Short mmCIF file of all heavy atoms in Angstrom, two decimals:
data_model
loop_
_atom_site.label_atom_id
_atom_site.label_comp_id
_atom_site.label_asym_id
_atom_site.label_seq_id
_atom_site.Cartn_x
_atom_site.Cartn_y
_atom_site.Cartn_z
N MET A 36 12.27 1.21 6.49
CA MET A 36 12.21 2.65 6.42
C MET A 36 10.73 3.09 6.46
O MET A 36 9.84 2.53 5.90
CB MET A 36 12.80 3.14 5.07
CG MET A 36 12.60 4.67 4.98
SD MET A 36 12.80 5.41 3.33
CE MET A 36 14.28 4.89 2.71
N THR A 37 10.58 4.16 7.31
CA THR A 37 9.14 4.66 7.39
C THR A 37 9.05 5.96 6.62
O THR A 37 9.91 6.90 6.90
CB THR A 37 8.76 4.84 8.83
OG1 THR A 37 8.84 3.68 9.52
CG2 THR A 37 7.41 5.43 8.96
N ILE A 38 8.00 6.11 5.78
CA ILE A 38 7.79 7.44 5.18
C ILE A 38 6.52 7.94 5.74
O ILE A 38 5.44 7.37 5.72
CB ILE A 38 7.65 7.20 3.66
CG1 ILE A 38 9.00 6.53 2.99
CG2 ILE A 38 7.27 8.46 2.89
CD1 ILE A 38 8.80 6.13 1.65
N PRO A 39 6.53 9.16 6.36
CA PRO A 39 5.32 9.69 7.01
C PRO A 39 4.22 10.02 5.97
O PRO A 39 4.48 10.52 4.86
CB PRO A 39 5.83 10.96 7.68
CG PRO A 39 7.20 11.28 7.06
CD PRO A 39 7.67 10.07 6.45
N THR A 40 3.01 9.47 6.24
CA THR A 40 1.92 9.76 5.43
C THR A 40 0.68 10.25 6.30
O THR A 40 0.75 9.92 7.53
CB THR A 40 1.46 8.47 4.64
OG1 THR A 40 1.09 7.47 5.51
CG2 THR A 40 2.58 8.00 3.63
N LEU A 41 -0.27 10.71 5.69
CA LEU A 41 -1.48 10.99 6.39
C LEU A 41 -2.61 10.02 6.08
O LEU A 41 -2.87 9.91 4.80
CB LEU A 41 -2.01 12.49 6.09
CG LEU A 41 -1.08 13.60 6.47
CD1 LEU A 41 -1.65 14.92 5.86
CD2 LEU A 41 -0.99 13.68 8.02
N GLY A 42 -3.09 9.32 7.00
CA GLY A 42 -4.12 8.37 6.70
C GLY A 42 -3.71 7.15 5.91
O GLY A 42 -2.62 6.82 5.84
N ASN A 43 -4.72 6.57 5.38
CA ASN A 43 -4.44 5.35 4.55
C ASN A 43 -3.83 5.76 3.24
O ASN A 43 -4.49 6.42 2.42
CB ASN A 43 -5.83 4.55 4.28
CG ASN A 43 -6.47 4.03 5.52
OD1 ASN A 43 -5.86 3.94 6.54
ND2 ASN A 43 -7.76 3.88 5.39
N TYR A 44 -2.68 5.42 3.01
CA TYR A 44 -1.96 5.78 1.91
C TYR A 44 -1.09 4.70 1.25
O TYR A 44 0.13 4.80 1.15
CB TYR A 44 -0.97 7.03 2.21
CG TYR A 44 -0.52 7.77 0.98
CD1 TYR A 44 -1.39 8.68 0.28
CD2 TYR A 44 0.65 7.54 0.41
CE1 TYR A 44 -0.94 9.43 -0.81
CE2 TYR A 44 1.11 8.22 -0.69
CZ TYR A 44 0.38 9.13 -1.28
OH TYR A 44 0.70 9.82 -2.46
N SER A 45 -1.70 3.55 0.96
CA SER A 45 -0.98 2.47 0.53
C SER A 45 -1.13 2.34 -0.98
O SER A 45 -2.37 2.31 -1.38
CB SER A 45 -1.26 1.14 1.23
OG SER A 45 -0.89 1.30 2.58
N HIS A 46 -0.14 2.17 -1.84
CA HIS A 46 -0.31 2.16 -3.25
C HIS A 46 0.72 1.12 -3.83
O HIS A 46 1.78 0.80 -3.28
CB HIS A 46 0.05 3.46 -3.91
CG HIS A 46 -1.03 4.56 -3.49
ND1 HIS A 46 -2.22 4.67 -4.05
CD2 HIS A 46 -0.86 5.53 -2.54
CE1 HIS A 46 -2.90 5.63 -3.47
NE2 HIS A 46 -2.11 6.23 -2.50
N ARG A 47 0.41 0.71 -5.05
CA ARG A 47 1.30 -0.11 -5.75
C ARG A 47 2.27 0.72 -6.52
O ARG A 47 1.83 1.72 -7.23
CB ARG A 47 0.47 -0.98 -6.83
CG ARG A 47 1.18 -1.85 -7.75
CD ARG A 47 0.28 -2.63 -8.62
NE ARG A 47 -0.99 -1.92 -9.12
CZ ARG A 47 -1.00 -1.18 -10.20
NH1 ARG A 47 0.03 -1.01 -10.92
NH2 ARG A 47 -2.14 -0.56 -10.45
N LEU A 48 3.59 0.47 -6.49
CA LEU A 48 4.54 1.20 -7.22
C LEU A 48 4.86 0.51 -8.49
O LEU A 48 5.01 1.07 -9.52
CB LEU A 48 5.81 1.38 -6.48
CG LEU A 48 5.72 2.30 -5.17
CD1 LEU A 48 7.14 2.38 -4.55
CD2 LEU A 48 5.10 3.59 -5.50
N ASN A 49 4.78 -0.83 -8.55
CA ASN A 49 4.96 -1.73 -9.67
C ASN A 49 4.41 -3.13 -9.23
O ASN A 49 3.97 -3.30 -8.12
CB ASN A 49 6.31 -1.69 -10.32
CG ASN A 49 7.41 -2.18 -9.32
OD1 ASN A 49 7.19 -3.09 -8.66
ND2 ASN A 49 8.53 -1.46 -9.33
N GLU A 50 4.68 -4.10 -10.13
CA GLU A 50 4.10 -5.46 -9.68
C GLU A 50 4.74 -6.06 -8.47
O GLU A 50 4.26 -6.92 -7.91
CB GLU A 50 4.37 -6.37 -10.96
CG GLU A 50 3.35 -6.03 -12.14
CD GLU A 50 3.50 -7.00 -13.27
OE1 GLU A 50 4.22 -8.01 -13.12
OE2 GLU A 50 2.98 -6.69 -14.29
N GLN A 51 6.01 -5.52 -8.16
CA GLN A 51 6.74 -6.21 -7.08
C GLN A 51 6.95 -5.29 -5.87
O GLN A 51 7.57 -5.73 -4.88
CB GLN A 51 8.11 -6.63 -7.61
CG GLN A 51 7.92 -7.64 -8.73
CD GLN A 51 9.30 -7.85 -9.45
OE1 GLN A 51 10.32 -7.17 -9.19
NE2 GLN A 51 9.30 -8.90 -10.22
N THR A 52 6.44 -3.98 -6.07
CA THR A 52 6.76 -3.06 -4.92
C THR A 52 5.51 -2.37 -4.41
O THR A 52 4.73 -1.89 -5.17
CB THR A 52 7.71 -1.88 -5.38
OG1 THR A 52 8.84 -2.55 -6.03
CG2 THR A 52 8.22 -1.03 -4.31
N LEU A 53 5.32 -2.51 -3.12
CA LEU A 53 4.21 -1.89 -2.31
C LEU A 53 4.66 -0.81 -1.54
O LEU A 53 5.60 -1.00 -0.63
CB LEU A 53 3.46 -2.93 -1.50
CG LEU A 53 2.46 -2.53 -0.49
CD1 LEU A 53 1.25 -2.06 -1.16
CD2 LEU A 53 2.10 -3.83 0.36
N LEU A 54 4.05 0.35 -1.54
CA LEU A 54 4.19 1.46 -0.62
C LEU A 54 3.08 1.35 0.41
O LEU A 54 1.89 1.54 0.10
CB LEU A 54 4.16 2.83 -1.43
CG LEU A 54 4.15 4.12 -0.47
CD1 LEU A 54 5.52 4.21 0.34
CD2 LEU A 54 3.94 5.26 -1.30
N LEU A 55 3.51 0.99 1.59
CA LEU A 55 2.57 0.70 2.71
C LEU A 55 2.68 1.74 3.88
O LEU A 55 3.66 1.83 4.46
CB LEU A 55 2.81 -0.69 3.30
CG LEU A 55 1.92 -1.19 4.34
CD1 LEU A 55 0.51 -1.34 3.75
CD2 LEU A 55 2.41 -2.53 4.84
N ALA A 56 1.51 2.42 4.03
CA ALA A 56 1.55 3.38 5.09
C ALA A 56 1.64 2.78 6.51
O ALA A 56 1.15 1.61 6.69
CB ALA A 56 0.25 4.15 5.04
N GLU A 57 2.35 3.31 7.37
CA GLU A 57 2.42 2.72 8.75
C GLU A 57 1.16 2.38 9.40
O GLU A 57 0.87 1.51 10.04
CB GLU A 57 3.37 3.53 9.56
CG GLU A 57 3.70 2.82 10.96
CD GLU A 57 4.59 3.70 11.66
OE1 GLU A 57 5.00 4.85 11.43
OE2 GLU A 57 5.08 3.12 12.85
N VAL A 58 0.10 3.48 9.20
CA VAL A 58 -1.16 3.28 9.84
C VAL A 58 -1.84 2.06 9.29
O VAL A 58 -2.52 1.37 10.01
CB VAL A 58 -2.05 4.63 9.56
CG1 VAL A 58 -2.35 4.82 8.21
CG2 VAL A 58 -3.25 4.59 10.46
N ASP A 59 -1.61 1.80 7.91
CA ASP A 59 -2.18 0.49 7.40
C ASP A 59 -1.51 -0.69 7.99
O ASP A 59 -2.18 -1.70 8.20
CB ASP A 59 -2.16 0.56 5.90
CG ASP A 59 -3.09 1.62 5.29
OD1 ASP A 59 -4.00 2.06 5.90
OD2 ASP A 59 -2.88 2.02 4.09
N ARG A 60 -0.18 -0.60 8.10
CA ARG A 60 0.57 -1.84 8.58
C ARG A 60 0.07 -2.14 10.01
O ARG A 60 0.12 -3.30 10.47
CB ARG A 60 2.08 -1.43 8.39
CG ARG A 60 2.99 -2.51 9.15
CD ARG A 60 2.83 -3.84 8.45
NE ARG A 60 3.61 -4.87 9.12
CZ ARG A 60 3.15 -5.66 10.09
NH1 ARG A 60 1.90 -5.62 10.47
NH2 ARG A 60 3.98 -6.63 10.54
N MET A 61 -0.16 -1.08 10.78
CA MET A 61 -0.46 -1.40 12.25
C MET A 61 -1.91 -1.71 12.48
O MET A 61 -2.34 -2.10 13.57
CB MET A 61 -0.11 -0.14 13.06
CG MET A 61 1.30 0.25 12.89
SD MET A 61 2.52 -1.11 13.27
CE MET A 61 2.15 -1.32 15.05
N ASP A 62 -2.79 -1.64 11.38
CA ASP A 62 -4.22 -1.89 11.55
C ASP A 62 -4.48 -3.32 11.23
O ASP A 62 -4.30 -3.73 10.09
CB ASP A 62 -4.95 -0.98 10.60
CG ASP A 62 -6.52 -1.16 10.75
OD1 ASP A 62 -7.00 -2.27 10.97
OD2 ASP A 62 -7.12 -0.16 10.57
N PRO A 63 -4.87 -4.13 12.23
CA PRO A 63 -5.04 -5.57 12.02
C PRO A 63 -6.12 -5.93 11.01
O PRO A 63 -6.16 -6.99 10.46
CB PRO A 63 -5.34 -6.10 13.44
CG PRO A 63 -5.86 -5.04 14.18
CD PRO A 63 -5.21 -3.75 13.54
N ASN A 64 -7.02 -4.97 10.71
CA ASN A 64 -8.05 -5.25 9.74
C ASN A 64 -7.64 -4.81 8.38
O ASN A 64 -7.93 -5.40 7.34
CB ASN A 64 -9.38 -4.55 10.17
CG ASN A 64 -9.94 -5.15 11.43
OD1 ASN A 64 -10.14 -6.31 11.60
ND2 ASN A 64 -10.30 -4.26 12.30
N ARG A 65 -7.00 -3.78 8.33
CA ARG A 65 -6.67 -3.05 6.98
C ARG A 65 -5.39 -3.72 6.48
O ARG A 65 -5.34 -3.87 5.13
CB ARG A 65 -6.37 -1.60 7.19
CG ARG A 65 -5.89 -0.86 5.93
CD ARG A 65 -6.84 0.13 5.44
NE ARG A 65 -6.28 0.97 4.34
CZ ARG A 65 -6.58 0.67 3.09
NH1 ARG A 65 -7.61 -0.09 2.84
NH2 ARG A 65 -6.05 1.40 2.11
N TYR A 66 -4.39 -4.16 7.21
CA TYR A 66 -3.20 -4.75 6.67
C TYR A 66 -3.50 -5.99 5.76
O TYR A 66 -2.94 -6.01 4.63
CB TYR A 66 -2.24 -5.09 7.77
CG TYR A 66 -0.84 -5.58 7.44
CD1 TYR A 66 -0.07 -4.95 6.62
CD2 TYR A 66 -0.39 -6.84 7.91
CE1 TYR A 66 1.15 -5.35 6.21
CE2 TYR A 66 0.79 -7.29 7.55
CZ TYR A 66 1.61 -6.63 6.63
OH TYR A 66 2.83 -7.10 6.35
N PRO A 67 -4.21 -6.90 6.19
CA PRO A 67 -4.52 -8.12 5.29
C PRO A 67 -5.33 -7.66 4.05
O PRO A 67 -5.08 -8.18 2.94
CB PRO A 67 -5.33 -9.08 6.15
CG PRO A 67 -5.46 -8.39 7.44
CD PRO A 67 -4.83 -7.10 7.53
N LEU A 68 -6.07 -6.79 4.16
CA LEU A 68 -6.87 -6.16 2.99
C LEU A 68 -5.92 -5.53 1.97
O LEU A 68 -6.05 -5.85 0.70
CB LEU A 68 -7.91 -5.15 3.47
CG LEU A 68 -8.67 -4.49 2.36
CD1 LEU A 68 -9.58 -5.53 1.59
CD2 LEU A 68 -9.57 -3.42 2.89
N VAL A 69 -5.02 -4.68 2.44
CA VAL A 69 -4.07 -4.12 1.47
C VAL A 69 -3.17 -5.11 0.84
O VAL A 69 -2.94 -5.16 -0.35
CB VAL A 69 -3.20 -3.03 2.34
CG1 VAL A 69 -2.02 -2.59 1.46
CG2 VAL A 69 -4.02 -1.87 2.79
N LEU A 70 -2.72 -6.17 1.59
CA LEU A 70 -1.86 -7.25 1.01
C LEU A 70 -2.61 -7.97 0.05
O LEU A 70 -2.09 -8.38 -1.04
CB LEU A 70 -1.29 -8.11 2.15
CG LEU A 70 -0.37 -7.52 3.06
CD1 LEU A 70 0.16 -8.54 4.11
CD2 LEU A 70 0.87 -7.04 2.33
N THR A 71 -3.89 -8.28 0.29
CA THR A 71 -4.71 -9.06 -0.62
C THR A 71 -4.92 -8.31 -1.94
O THR A 71 -4.80 -8.72 -3.05
CB THR A 71 -6.08 -9.39 0.03
OG1 THR A 71 -5.84 -10.27 1.11
CG2 THR A 71 -7.00 -10.17 -0.98
N GLN A 72 -5.28 -6.94 -1.70
CA GLN A 72 -5.47 -6.05 -2.94
C GLN A 72 -4.15 -5.86 -3.78
O GLN A 72 -4.19 -6.05 -5.00
CB GLN A 72 -5.83 -4.65 -2.49
CG GLN A 72 -7.25 -4.64 -1.95
CD GLN A 72 -7.53 -3.31 -1.49
OE1 GLN A 72 -6.71 -2.40 -0.92
NE2 GLN A 72 -8.85 -2.97 -1.56
N PHE A 73 -2.97 -5.89 -3.14
CA PHE A 73 -1.70 -5.87 -3.79
C PHE A 73 -1.52 -7.09 -4.60
O PHE A 73 -1.18 -7.08 -5.76
CB PHE A 73 -0.61 -5.58 -2.90
CG PHE A 73 0.76 -5.48 -3.45
CD1 PHE A 73 1.22 -4.47 -4.23
CD2 PHE A 73 1.62 -6.53 -3.15
CE1 PHE A 73 2.36 -4.49 -4.88
CE2 PHE A 73 2.93 -6.53 -3.76
CZ PHE A 73 3.27 -5.51 -4.67
N ALA A 74 -1.62 -8.21 -3.92
CA ALA A 74 -1.41 -9.50 -4.58
C ALA A 74 -2.31 -9.79 -5.72
O ALA A 74 -1.92 -10.44 -6.75
CB ALA A 74 -1.49 -10.66 -3.54
N SER A 75 -3.53 -9.28 -5.61
CA SER A 75 -4.43 -9.59 -6.73
C SER A 75 -4.37 -8.48 -7.84
O SER A 75 -5.07 -8.63 -8.86
CB SER A 75 -5.85 -9.58 -6.23
OG SER A 75 -6.28 -8.38 -5.67
N GLY A 76 -3.56 -7.50 -7.69
CA GLY A 76 -3.46 -6.42 -8.61
C GLY A 76 -4.51 -5.38 -8.57
O GLY A 76 -4.57 -4.54 -9.46
N HIS A 77 -5.20 -5.33 -7.50
CA HIS A 77 -6.35 -4.30 -7.36
C HIS A 77 -5.98 -3.11 -6.51
O HIS A 77 -6.83 -2.23 -6.27
CB HIS A 77 -7.57 -5.07 -6.76
CG HIS A 77 -8.14 -5.96 -7.75
ND1 HIS A 77 -8.01 -7.37 -7.66
CD2 HIS A 77 -8.87 -5.79 -8.98
CE1 HIS A 77 -8.61 -7.91 -8.61
NE2 HIS A 77 -9.21 -7.02 -9.45
N LEU A 78 -4.81 -3.12 -6.08
CA LEU A 78 -4.40 -1.85 -5.29
C LEU A 78 -4.03 -0.77 -6.23
O LEU A 78 -3.28 -0.98 -7.16
CB LEU A 78 -3.25 -2.19 -4.31
CG LEU A 78 -2.84 -1.16 -3.27
CD1 LEU A 78 -3.98 -1.01 -2.19
CD2 LEU A 78 -1.54 -1.50 -2.63
N PRO A 79 -4.59 0.50 -5.99
CA PRO A 79 -4.25 1.48 -6.99
C PRO A 79 -2.77 1.87 -7.03
O PRO A 79 -2.21 1.81 -6.03
CB PRO A 79 -5.15 2.66 -6.50
CG PRO A 79 -5.44 2.44 -5.10
CD PRO A 79 -5.35 0.86 -4.94
N PRO A 80 -2.41 2.35 -8.26
CA PRO A 80 -0.92 2.75 -8.35
C PRO A 80 -0.84 4.08 -7.63
O PRO A 80 -1.75 4.88 -7.43
CB PRO A 80 -0.73 2.95 -9.88
CG PRO A 80 -2.09 3.15 -10.33
CD PRO A 80 -2.98 2.38 -9.52
N LEU A 81 0.39 4.45 -7.24
CA LEU A 81 0.65 5.69 -6.62
C LEU A 81 0.35 6.81 -7.67
O LEU A 81 0.70 6.81 -8.83
CB LEU A 81 2.15 5.79 -6.29
CG LEU A 81 2.73 7.03 -5.64
CD1 LEU A 81 2.12 7.19 -4.36
CD2 LEU A 81 4.23 7.06 -5.55
N PRO A 82 -0.47 7.77 -7.31
CA PRO A 82 -0.86 8.99 -8.19
C PRO A 82 0.31 9.58 -8.83
O PRO A 82 1.39 9.89 -8.04
CB PRO A 82 -1.57 9.84 -7.33
CG PRO A 82 -2.08 9.12 -6.20
CD PRO A 82 -1.00 8.03 -5.92
N GLY A 83 0.38 9.70 -10.16
CA GLY A 83 1.48 10.35 -10.81
C GLY A 83 2.65 9.34 -11.05
O GLY A 83 3.65 9.85 -11.67
N HIS A 84 2.51 8.17 -10.71
CA HIS A 84 3.66 7.14 -10.85
C HIS A 84 3.22 6.14 -11.95
O HIS A 84 2.22 5.38 -11.76
CB HIS A 84 3.93 6.45 -9.59
CG HIS A 84 5.10 5.61 -9.62
ND1 HIS A 84 5.13 4.23 -9.88
CD2 HIS A 84 6.36 5.90 -9.18
CE1 HIS A 84 6.31 3.81 -9.89
NE2 HIS A 84 7.18 4.77 -9.43
N SER A 85 3.90 6.15 -13.03
CA SER A 85 3.63 5.15 -14.07
C SER A 85 4.22 3.82 -13.66
O SER A 85 5.32 3.71 -13.21
CB SER A 85 4.15 5.61 -15.42
OG SER A 85 5.59 5.68 -15.36
N THR A 86 3.42 2.76 -13.86
CA THR A 86 3.91 1.35 -13.55
C THR A 86 4.33 0.62 -14.74
O THR A 86 4.08 0.95 -15.78
CB THR A 86 2.75 0.59 -12.92
OG1 THR A 86 1.61 0.60 -13.77
CG2 THR A 86 2.34 1.23 -11.52
#
């Protein structure tokens, strides 16, 4: 499922769920960075979403 976003908008929803913007998924440099940040717990949570 694709949720439209503007720009880089990838966030952690909880320890097991990643909200990944399509623009980040399609960027060969940004995608591995987002995955690494998510796996290490350094990806910011979705604003207003408690984890």
Side-chain angles (χ1 to χ4, degrees):
M36 175 198 304
T37 300
I38 299 172
T40 62
L41 295 174
N43 297 339
Y44 196 82
S45 295
H46 296 280
R47 174 178 40 86
L48 296 181
N49 58 44
E50 291 181 9
Q51 301 169 347
T52 308
L53 169 65
L54 173 63
L55 181 64
E57 185 174 7
V58 67
D59 289 342
R60 172 63 182 94
M61 300 307 292
D62 183 326
N64 296 311
R65 178 116 173 102
Y66 184 54
L68 175 64
V69 170
L70 291 180
T71 299
Q72 289 175 330
F73 177 70
S75 67
H77 291 105
L78 191 66
L81 182 65
H84 189 272
S85 60
T86 57

